[in-house]
Amino acid sequence: MRPLTEEETRVMFEKIAKYIGENLQLLVDRPDGTYCFRLHNDRVYYVSEKILKLAANISGDKLVSLGTCFGKFTKTHKFRLHITALDFLAPYAKYKVWIKPGAEQSFLYGNHVLKSGLGRITENTSQYQGVVVYSMADVPLGFGVAAKSTQDCRKVDPMAIVVFHQADIGEYVRHEETLT
């Protein structure tokens, strides 16, 4: 368990900023304490400093995980967000997409969101902008990337993809053995 290097921090913060923008500071300086990011086995964990001090007594090879896994670095040093970060990204999301009840199951099976399943979208969402996907009952379901801008969504055909799937809460069941 070690702190992130400058390059790792920059890459990770750029990825998170695609979804929550300048609200990134709210993740680190929270009213319930100070939180930090730590790297362990190529995975980035979001952990309270109190718990981090307690975990210092455990050797690194015996430690399985600590805090919440936000994502992992690939072998090419790109950062991939995990679905476990959704609970922390959703409250601060700048751009949101709500999908109809009929399209929820399709999204939760790992498919992209089509125009026919789109309920609402945040105004001024640009193309390729990171978005958090919600059900119509405001339950966060996952996140993705907007395939079309808000203006383009109004005039595309119903079978066009409007949000590229990246992660959803169905991954808890589909990839149960690999999530840590």
Side-chain angles (χ1 to χ4, degrees):
M1 178 88 35
R2 66 169 176 83
L4 277 68
T5 64
E6 287 289 325
E7 180 65 18
E8 290 167 341
T9 304
R10 184 188 60 76
V11 169
M12 185 192 69
F13 281 175
E14 282 176 1
K15 178 67 100 168
I16 295 173
K18 287 181 181 177
Y19 295 94
I20 63 174
E22 65 275 352
N23 294 335
L24 188 60
Q25 188 63 34
L26 298 174
L27 279 179
V28 180
D29 298 328
R30 290 178 33 177
D32 58 337
T34 306
Y35 284 72
C36 58
F37 293 97
R38 289 291 184 259
L39 187 75
H40 183 65
N41 296 338
D42 286 334
R43 296 194 186 310
V44 177
Y45 293 94
Y46 180 63
V47 62
S48 143
E49 286 193 349
K50 280 189 229 172
I51 295 174
L52 186 64
K53 287 177 185 165
L54 294 172
N57 299 330
I58 303 170
S59 67
D61 57 327
K62 302 254 191 275
L63 190 65
V64 176
S65 87
L66 178 69
T68 304
C69 182
F70 246 63
K72 72 175 206 168
F73 282 99
T74 62
K75 292 186 191 311
T76 58
H77 301 294
K78 293 182 178 148
F79 185 71
R80 271 191 75 107
L81 275 172
H82 280 189
I83 189 59
T84 50
L86 180 65
D87 293 334
F88 298 98
L89 296 180
Y92 305 119
K94 287 176 63 177
Y95 299 102
K96 303 175 182 178
V97 169
W98 290 265
I99 58 177
K100 295 175 182 172
E104 283 179 26
Q105 186 175 11
S106 175
F107 181 74
L108 294 179
Y109 281 150
N111 298 317
H112 302 306
V113 177
L114 302 177
K115 167 71 163 78
S116 60
L118 185 68
R120 293 188 317 215
I121 187 168
T122 307
E123 275 302 314
N124 301 325
T125 302
S126 60
Q127 190 175 19
Y128 307 124
Q129 175 66 50
V131 294
V132 175
V133 179
Y134 287 85
S135 68
M136 291 305 278
D138 279 335
V139 176
L141 299 176
F143 45 86
V145 175
K148 308 266 188 234
S149 66
T150 304
Q151 289 74 23
D152 292 344
C153 284
R154 293 188 178 114
K155 49 190 170 216
V156 297
D157 67 303
M159 295 311 289
I161 296 172
V162 292
V163 176
F164 295 125
H165 174 274
Q166 283 199 327
D168 64 80
I169 56 176
E171 285 181 26
Y172 284 120
V173 177
R174 290 195 312 270
H175 303 293
E176 193 174 1
E177 66 281 350
T178 58
L179 280 176
T180 57

